[in-house]
Amino acid sequence: MRVAIVAESFLPRVNGVTNSVCRVLEHLAAAGHEAIVVAPAPGPASYAGFPVLLTRGLSLPFYPSFVVGLPTRRVMALLEEFGPDVVHLASPTVLGASGMKAARRLGVPVVAVFQTDLAGFARRYGLRAAGPAIWSWLRRVHRRAALTLAPSTATLRELGSRGIPRLALWGRGVDLDRFHPRHRSERLRAQLAPGGETIVGYTGRLATEKRVRLLAELADLPGVRLVVVGDGPYWHRLRRLLPDAVFCGFRTGRDLSRLVASFDVFVHTGRDETFCQAVQEALASGVPVVAPAAGGPLDLVRDGDNGLLYPADDPAAMRAAVAGLAARPAERARMGERARRSVRERGWAAVCDQLIGHYRHAVSLTPYHREAGPAAPAGTVQGVDLAEPSPAPSGRARTDR
């Protein structure tokens, strides 16, 4: 197939959108497909042997490291020259809308991949009133897609309730070699926790929307060393909140693999995660996870089996869950074994094969369905009951198992 990916974010910016696009490109190259990437500048000239075609980008004033692509007619010329079989919009907003417009004019089906909760992002930055306008814009873009892929059942239900049709579930893969229990390092653990403390770790962007301020709830847990991996606009404030924590900064590659595998417990604080790749990487590393019972983690964390879920707006429950696991090494070990097993079928090769299946399905649709097909039947989308509430703990973090 010939696949044109219009990405709202790409290298050198490292985030969930960039990571998934890179893995998809690697898989397309390995399988003998052809591809191009259209993304906001700055960026590389190529990736995985495919050309990267750059358009103008603009940094957000309140978040300089977050760059959005600007609408441009150049996308039309780029797609027309390449002649794709399908256009993949990665987290489409502004640049993605240009990709959608160009694809429709060329009569090429579009697969739109929903990845970023922009309304939740705006809410965390004090722009709650922008939510309705954001959802109106996203509906306008996604309703024109042959297929919209949601990364989790919680997100799929949300999109269905917002009036976005033709939905299917497509999760994210994980590198099962890079994230593996064998990368656990006793030498590194001794450096992080020289007193032999239980290591509770967080990895991810240090930003308001991740609610990393909640890590302060863990600051005084006895016998616990808190380790924070990542960077972002909240870094300086978090350092003041957590003077005794270990801050490792932004890490990738082998460094990140060793850090995550060397945790005893992984904790996540964000409640607006459409998937949460950091949770999946911790599970693959054999580390039990404590995460909010909201969004993407609901598909990944089985409460009491490979980790614990806490009510998303109850920091005390998060603290109780972490404290309970910190005090029970045997339980942590059992959960760690189950954690690895729970994601062993989620390698990127299998997940990207599913994506190619979605591409082929989009190509098979009639032009009518490509442009304005009927909305999904009320109540169900691809076998998911939209009326059924997402599973959540009873209100108390289970730490007595």
Side-chain angles (χ1 to χ4, degrees):
M1 300 187 74
R2 295 176 65 80
V3 181
I5 300 180
V6 180
E8 212 69 37
S9 182
F10 196 58
L11 297 171
R13 296 161 293 278
V14 179
N15 51 46
V17 176
T18 297
N19 181 59
S20 63
V21 170
C22 288
R23 302 295 85 76
V24 169
L25 290 169
E26 292 162 3
H27 188 77
L28 291 174
H33 301 284
E34 294 294 326
I36 60 168
V37 182
V38 181
S46 64
Y47 188 85
F50 299 132
V52 178
L53 310 172
L54 302 175
T55 66
R56 290 180 60 201
L58 177 68
S59 297
L60 297 181
F62 58 87
Y63 200 160
S65 64
F66 194 93
V67 178
V68 296
L70 298 178
T72 173
R73 295 179 180 177
R74 184 167 180 252
V75 176
M76 176 69 185
L78 295 174
L79 296 190
E80 187 173 25
E81 181 179 355
F82 178 65
D85 298 310
V86 64
V87 173
H88 170 151
L89 302 183
S91 196
T93 48
V94 182
L95 183 61
S98 294
M100 175 66 76
K101 184 176 181 180
R104 284 167 60 82
R105 287 187 175 180
L106 294 171
V108 178
V110 171
V111 173
V113 181
F114 186 93
Q115 291 186 248
T116 307
D117 181 4
L118 292 175
F121 189 97
R123 184 173 62 250
R124 294 293 171 193
Y125 280 90
L127 303 174
R128 182 179 295 272
I134 290 173
W135 278 114
S136 177
W137 177 257
L138 292 176
R139 273 193 298 272
R140 182 178 177 182
V141 174
H142 283 274
R143 280 179 171 173
R144 290 167 168 79
L147 196 62
T148 286
L149 304 182
S152 64
T153 53
T155 302
L156 191 145
R157 291 188 182 103
E158 173 76 2
L159 295 179
S161 72
R162 298 285 181 176
I164 295 176
R166 297 178 298 282
L167 295 164
L169 189 65
W170 181 63
R172 299 293 174 270
V174 62
D175 189 327
L176 295 169
D177 293 321
R178 180 180 170 193
F179 295 97
H180 194 285
R182 66 169 173 265
H183 298 305
R184 187 176 178 90
S185 167
E186 293 304 322
R187 180 179 177 182
L188 176 59
R189 286 175 52 79
Q191 294 172 352
L192 297 173
E197 298 93 342
T198 299
I199 299 176
V200 176
Y202 169 90
T203 67
R205 191 165 64 253
L206 306 184
T208 299
E209 75 274 12
K210 298 294 185 179
R211 304 194 308 171
V212 288
R213 67 186 186 281
L214 298 184
L215 293 174
E217 294 285 332
L218 311 176
D220 61 347
L221 281 178
V224 166
R225 173 70 72 182
L226 188 60
V227 176
V228 179
V229 182
D231 200 359
Y234 210 87
W235 186 88
H236 291 288
R237 189 177 302 180
L238 199 61
R239 286 295 301 262
R240 293 193 295 269
L241 288 173
L242 302 170
D244 296 324
V246 177
F247 283 79
C248 300
F250 177 75
R251 300 295 183 97
T252 60
R254 185 170 179 267
D255 284 348
L256 181 61
S257 301
R258 292 171 66 239
L259 279 163
V260 176
S262 297
F263 294 162
D264 295 307
V265 178
F266 180 88
V267 63
H268 192 71
T269 53
R271 66 160 299 154
D272 299 316
E273 302 295 320
T274 58
F275 184 77
C276 199
Q277 184 72 337
V279 163
Q280 185 166 242
E281 290 168 355
L283 295 172
S285 301
V287 179
V289 169
V290 174
L298 287 170
D299 283 356
L300 299 170
V301 180
R302 298 195 293 259
D303 192 37
D305 182 66
N306 61 359
L308 295 172
L309 294 170
Y310 62 89
D313 294 319
D314 190 347
M318 177 191 71
R319 176 185 170 94
V322 171
L325 285 180
R328 295 178 173 86
E331 182 68 5
R332 292 200 309 269
R334 286 193 294 272
M335 283 190 174
E337 292 176 1
R338 297 171 191 149
R340 175 69 184 182
R341 289 200 299 268
S342 71
V343 298
R344 62 187 176 189
E345 303 301 324
R346 292 176 175 264
W348 272 112
V351 170
C352 288
D353 279 342
Q354 294 171 6
L355 178 62
I356 292 173
H358 287 308
Y359 289 162
R360 296 193 186 283
H361 176 61
V363 169
S364 73
L365 297 176
T366 65
Y368 171 77
H369 285 124
R370 291 180 190 174
E371 294 186 4
T380 60
V381 175
Q382 294 289 319
V384 177
D385 186 352
L386 297 182
E388 180 183 353
S390 299
S394 60
R396 178 176 63 88
R398 288 188 275 180
T399 58
D400 55 350
R401 292 192 175 193

